[in-house]
Amino acid sequence: METHLFLAFFCVWICFSFPLDFCIAGDSIRIDQSISNGETLVSSGQSFELGFFSPGSSKNKYLGIWYKRTPRTVVWVANRNNPITGTYGVLTIAHTGGLVLLNQTKSVIWSSDLSRVPENAVAQLLQTGNLVLTGDSNESSKSYIWQSFDHPSDTMLPGMKLGWSLKTGLQRNLTSWRSNDDPSPGDFSYRMDISVLPYLIVDAVSSIKHRSGPWTGHEFNGVHVLDNLIYKAVFVDNKDDVFVLYESNSNEVITRVTLSHSGFLQHLTLKKGSSEWGNCTQSPVTIVKSMGIVALVASAELAS
């Protein structure tokens, strides 16, 4: 009993005797708090984790978000174009209210683009895998000053929009990694073309390799559809936005859409209790369509 009381007193003493940076836990940080190598934020439901990682055999460090559960799969990278080459990296909220990533020389190598300066800024990793910056603890999307879902890497998660904000000109699209060891933007992108009618396009080095048909009311036309009751497509086309997103209809399956560095657009699922991702496709050379978005574009199809 005395030992437990001593440990409890010691933990409280530590948190009040040292800077806040050393006591941060949970899913959020505030101004002047930070996370560095070995420290992470974890979403409230333990689904996603944010921290520093080195992909594959690379020694470079990146700030990223990955699934908390095994297998670890990175779904978002902040500093894709500017890796940390040393051993030190820190993410913090500057006094201006924006997220900044610093290297060992305290130089800013990545920062969030802000439309306005928030008061009492809070950065929070949501259960959806979205890193958001707000002016308070309110999770309403209307209060998001910045969010990682507006700046995807190679992965689309449930609730993430693929398309355009016509009011701001923001385009949300996927861009493949350069390789398994290098998350910098690669040769392939997955985006929405709205020049005439909304189309989903996979292109490589500015040349279109696959274009879907237009939206029919419940899907994009022109490709084979896999009947999948796990997912639901949502397509929005109005004066402010043109985008597609998907929602999960099952709590037993985790899903993601990833554009690989070789040009495969894969719709992957992971059942609870499983350690391997499954592919929602019929064959590796078929353009497969689930809930309104292309699930896989194989190399043979890209070459056609």
Side-chain angles (χ1 to χ4, degrees):
M1 181 67 177
E2 292 180 353
T3 301
H4 291 164
L5 289 174
F6 172 78
L7 288 175
F9 174 80
F10 180 76
C11 290
V12 172
W13 177 80
I14 285 289
C15 282
F16 280 97
S17 302
F18 290 91
L20 285 173
D21 302 49
F22 293 94
C23 303
I24 293 172
D27 63 355
S28 61
I29 58 172
R30 297 179 178 270
I31 291 179
D32 292 331
Q33 293 182 323
S34 64
I35 61 170
S36 57
N37 295 347
E39 299 174 326
T40 63
L41 298 181
V42 179
S43 63
S44 60
Q46 302 287 307
S47 291
F48 291 93
E49 188 170 21
L50 178 144
F52 293 90
F53 75 101
S54 296
S57 60
S58 174
K59 295 182 179 180
N60 293 332
K61 291 187 180 297
Y62 298 87
L63 178 73
I65 297 173
W66 54 84
Y67 289 101
K68 174 68 174 174
R69 63 180 296 176
T70 302
R72 176 188 285 192
T73 302
V74 176
V75 298
W76 182 78
V77 183
N79 54 318
R80 298 183 71 180
N81 290 310
N82 200 2
I84 299 171
T85 56
T87 58
Y88 176 84
V90 61
L91 175 72
T92 189
I93 300 179
H95 289 284
T96 57
L99 285 166
V100 292
L101 181 60
L102 309 175
N103 63 9
Q104 58 269 25
T105 63
K106 300 299 179 69
S107 299
V108 177
I109 62 171
W110 174 85
S111 64
S112 58
D113 297 324
L114 298 184
S115 58
R116 68 183 191 273
V117 177
E119 295 182 2
N120 303 317
V122 177
Q124 184 178 23
L125 180 61
L126 302 184
Q127 182 65 3
T128 58
N130 192 8
L131 177 65
V132 301
L133 188 66
T134 64
D136 52 37
S137 59
N138 183 4
E139 291 188 11
S140 170
S141 61
K142 293 182 179 179
S143 70
Y144 294 167
I145 300 165
W146 177 93
Q147 58 180 321
S148 61
F149 270 22
D150 281 341
H151 309 275
S153 296
D154 68 336
T155 298
M156 185 177 181
L157 297 173
M160 181 184 289
K161 299 174 182 177
L162 185 76
W164 292 81
S165 169
L166 302 180
K167 292 182 64 175
T168 64
L170 175 67
Q171 182 184 17
R172 308 174 186 91
N173 58 271
L174 304 186
T175 307
S176 64
W177 285 24
R178 179 67 56 185
S179 70
N180 289 330
D181 302 325
D182 183 1
S184 65
D187 293 332
F188 298 92
S189 68
Y190 180 47
R191 60 186 177 86
M192 179 172 287
D193 183 358
I194 58 174
S195 57
V196 182
L197 293 174
Y199 293 92
L200 293 174
I201 291 175
V202 175
D203 57 15
V205 195
S206 300
S207 62
I208 297 174
K209 298 303 179 184
H210 172 72
R211 182 195 299 268
S212 74
W215 182 259
T216 65
H218 66 280
E219 66 178 11
F220 283 94
N221 197 14
V223 289
H224 178 68
V225 177
L226 273 184
D227 183 17
N228 198 327
L229 299 179
I230 299 174
Y231 316 103
K232 174 187 176 182
V234 177
F235 178 65
V236 174
D237 185 0
N238 57 38
K239 63 182 180 63
D240 295 328
D241 298 281
V242 182
F243 64 83
V244 65
L245 60 82
Y246 75 93
E247 300 172 343
S248 175
N249 292 331
S250 173
N251 295 325
E252 299 300 317
V253 178
I254 297 173
T255 179
R256 62 185 170 97
V257 175
T258 297
L259 182 61
S260 74
H261 64 84
S262 56
F264 284 79
L265 188 63
Q266 299 170 301
H267 187 186
L268 302 166
T269 59
L270 181 68
K271 295 182 179 180
K272 284 189 176 181
S274 176
S275 60
E276 294 185 3
W277 288 94
N279 210 334
C280 285
T281 61
Q282 289 183 330
S283 71
V285 294
T286 302
I287 299 178
V288 180
K289 192 91 168 341
S290 288
M291 41 45 184
I293 56 178
V294 181
L296 177 65
V297 181
S299 298
E301 296 292 342
L302 288 170
S304 60

